[in-house]
Amino acid sequence: MTEVTLKAIHKYYSGNIPAVKDVNLTINEKEFVVLVGPSGCGKSTTLRMIAGLEDPTSGDIYIGDRLINNIPAKDRNIAMVFQNYALYPHMNVYRNMEFALRLRRYSKKDIDKRVKDAAQILGISHLLGRRPREISGGERQRVAVGRAIVRKPDVFLFDEPLSNLDAKMRVQMRTEIHKLHLRIQTTMIYVTHDQTEAMTLGDRIAVMKDGEVLQFDTPLNVYDNPVNKFVAGFIGSPAMNLMNGRVIKKDDKLYFDEGGFRVKIQEPMYEKLKDYIDKEVVFGVRPENIYDKLFASDATPDNTLTVLCEVMETMGSQNYLYLSTAKHTMVAVVEASNKPIIGGRVEVVFDMMKAHFFDPSTENTIV
Ligand code: ADP
């Protein structure tokens, strides 16, 4: 059993502001869980407590049903891959990979098999004789992963392992880590501030802010049903468009009124919004749920508004349109063939079935 459980974990470094606050998570055996959130939200601290590199101020950590709070890092059978790789510069790749096994007095034969197997999995067999300075950043990262694999740990921990790589290598290594997980089927916990990495790698993702886990769910559930405005804005790229306005009722129908435009809210959302009639709300719509009217099949006067198209970014397969009303700016992701006149007015349609509403003071999701 290599399930990892965190129960009511708090961590104070000094003073009375917690770095980690009441974190409760169960990471299932063989699961890939990503801790994601902005810098300083407590991701690394959480990971380091699992590794045994920091002690929780209170709370319990279990691997399977074994309480590990008082078990030293070296006896937890956990391997951690760091952002800076932490390779020994004077040792070649083989020596780097076998180092931990030699310390643990594995037999020469066993070491050789483990190093060669790991090197083969990672496609670095041809680099075993080289020193870290003689290989590329991506290759160094593979060696760092290889050094973790040879130990056959119960749990892998990754702390921003790709952030020192260039954009292309980052995407490539992301896929490699994904494949590695499919192949070795070991529990993995991965820390990143990059929501794309979280979305693409995680079986489940824990979105953190100010030391707390705000939401722990599959990437798609977090994307479709964010628990609050922060999660809604943090997960997804380009980010969800958020606009302040009011809910108004007219002829038994509910509308979102921004001040400059008014769109009809869909009936299934009425029940949850009934306490917000004539009150302020934050309206959210994802960039892919905004269409140029010329390309929309379901435009009606109730879901269409006129905006200014300020900038277009051509992504190849899509265009990003930067649009504005008198009060708000928003971005729409549209087809590559959809090219409105820059600086001109354009009619856009909101897919109101995909609208989100948040309470402006608590920032929690209303619907
Ligand atoms: P993240 O990994 O999400 O960027 P960290 O876990 O590194 O966040 O940090 C969480 C909070 O704890 C931050 O406010 C950070 O400044 C603080 N912190 C982290 N490490 C230490 C430390 N060794 N001593 C004091 N404060 C720390």
Side-chain angles (χ1 to χ4, degrees):
M1 276 280 286
T2 53
E3 180 182 277
V4 177
T5 310
L6 308 185
K7 285 194 181 157
I9 297 293
H10 289 78
K11 173 71 181 179
Y12 290 83
Y13 282 106
S14 59
N16 52 10
I17 298 172
V20 171
K21 192 169 149 193
D22 195 26
V23 166
N24 293 279
L25 291 173
T26 299
I27 294 123
N28 297 325
E29 186 168 8
K30 299 181 186 173
E31 194 175 24
F32 198 123
V33 164
V34 180
L35 309 181
V36 65
S39 180
C41 72
K43 310 177 293 287
S44 291
T45 300
T46 305
L47 201 72
R48 292 170 63 81
M49 288 189 286
I50 299 170
L53 303 174
E54 297 285 351
D55 291 324
T57 308
S58 63
D60 290 328
I61 305 177
Y62 294 84
I63 295 184
D65 43 23
R66 188 166 74 127
L67 180 67
I68 59 163
N69 288 37
N70 296 320
I71 295 182
K74 66 179 178 39
D75 298 329
R76 292 188 183 192
N77 204 21
I78 283 176
M80 187 148 164
V81 178
F82 297 93
Q83 174 177 350
N84 59 8
Y85 321 134
L87 299 179
Y88 299 109
H90 57 288
M91 293 184 193
N92 67 22
V93 168
Y94 188 101
R95 300 275 297 172
N96 264 286
M97 285 173 67
E98 71 166 356
F99 188 75
L101 302 180
R102 278 165 75 99
L103 279 185
R104 286 173 174 75
R105 303 192 184 286
Y106 281 66
S107 74
K108 234 178 153 44
K109 198 169 146 218
D110 191 12
I111 290 177
D112 194 57
K113 178 163 172 27
R114 285 179 183 231
V115 170
K116 287 185 177 154
D117 285 352
Q120 198 245 329
I121 288 174
L122 294 161
I124 52 172
S125 304
H126 59 297
L127 304 175
L128 289 172
R130 297 208 205 153
R131 301 234 173 133
R133 67 167 186 280
E134 296 163 340
I135 59 180
S136 73
E139 288 164 347
R140 268 178 232 154
Q141 188 52 275
R142 283 197 174 82
V143 176
V145 173
R147 204 170 43 172
I149 295 181
V150 292
R151 293 177 42 201
K152 301 189 179 162
D154 290 331
V155 182
F156 273 96
L157 306 178
F158 294 92
D159 192 357
E160 302 259 7
L162 309 184
S163 45
N164 283 341
L165 303 176
D166 64 44
K168 192 169 172 201
M169 186 55 80
R170 219 161 38 226
V171 174
Q172 194 181 329
M173 277 305 289
R174 191 174 82 203
T175 318
E176 297 283 333
I177 290 176
H178 204 149
K179 282 199 263 183
L180 178 71
H181 180 245
L182 294 174
R183 176 156 179 178
I184 66 175
Q185 296 273 311
T186 303
T187 310
M188 294 187 175
I189 309 174
Y190 186 105
V191 159
T192 180
H193 63 276
D194 179 337
Q195 64 85 34
T196 310
E197 266 176 40
M199 290 291 286
T200 50
L201 282 173
D203 293 320
R204 284 190 295 168
I205 63 180
V207 184
M208 294 186 70
K209 180 173 180 261
D210 299 336
E212 287 183 89
V213 173
L214 301 180
Q215 188 164 11
F216 183 37
D217 209 333
T218 61
L220 217 52
N221 281 344
V222 174
Y223 189 81
D224 287 338
N225 306 300
V227 292
N228 62 23
K229 189 177 129 185
F230 174 81
V231 175
F234 189 77
I235 298 294
S237 176
M240 183 187 284
N241 299 292
L242 297 164
M243 298 172 230
N244 291 71
R246 295 174 87 78
V247 174
I248 58 162
K249 187 172 181 180
K250 197 165 162 251
D251 300 333
D252 275 339
K253 296 194 176 94
L254 297 189
Y255 294 83
F256 169 71
D257 191 329
E258 186 242 16
F261 69 85
R262 187 179 284 186
V263 283
K264 185 174 163 291
I265 297 168
Q266 298 285 314
E267 275 85 4
M269 298 184 183
Y270 284 9
E271 179 57 29
K272 294 216 167 113
L273 284 165
K274 67 179 190 305
D275 294 338
Y276 288 87
I277 293 167
D278 292 327
K279 293 197 180 133
E280 288 273 328
V281 289
V282 178
F283 166 72
V285 59
R286 292 211 180 268
E288 67 271 27
N289 301 134
I290 304 179
Y291 302 89
D292 184 331
K293 188 181 166 192
L294 296 175
F295 287 71
S297 56
D298 58 349
T300 68
D302 279 343
N303 64 9
T304 305
L305 55 141
T306 304
V307 293
L308 177 68
C309 184
E310 292 186 303
V311 173
M312 179 172 77
E313 286 176 355
T314 309
M315 308 304 288
S317 60
Q318 297 165 319
N319 296 327
Y320 291 0
L321 306 181
Y322 292 85
L323 310 167
S324 65
T325 67
K327 288 189 174 171
H328 294 108
T329 56
M330 63 188 103
V331 54
V333 175
V334 298
E335 287 172 33
S337 57
N338 188 169
K339 295 176 181 161
I341 295 166
I342 306 309
R345 300 257 149 209
V346 52
E347 283 191 288
V348 294
V349 175
F350 288 166
D351 180 352
M352 291 300 290
M353 284 303 282
K354 302 271 175 68
H356 298 259
F357 292 92
F358 307 95
D359 184 298
S361 48
T362 65
E363 302 200 343
N364 288 334
T365 297
I366 305 167
V367 60

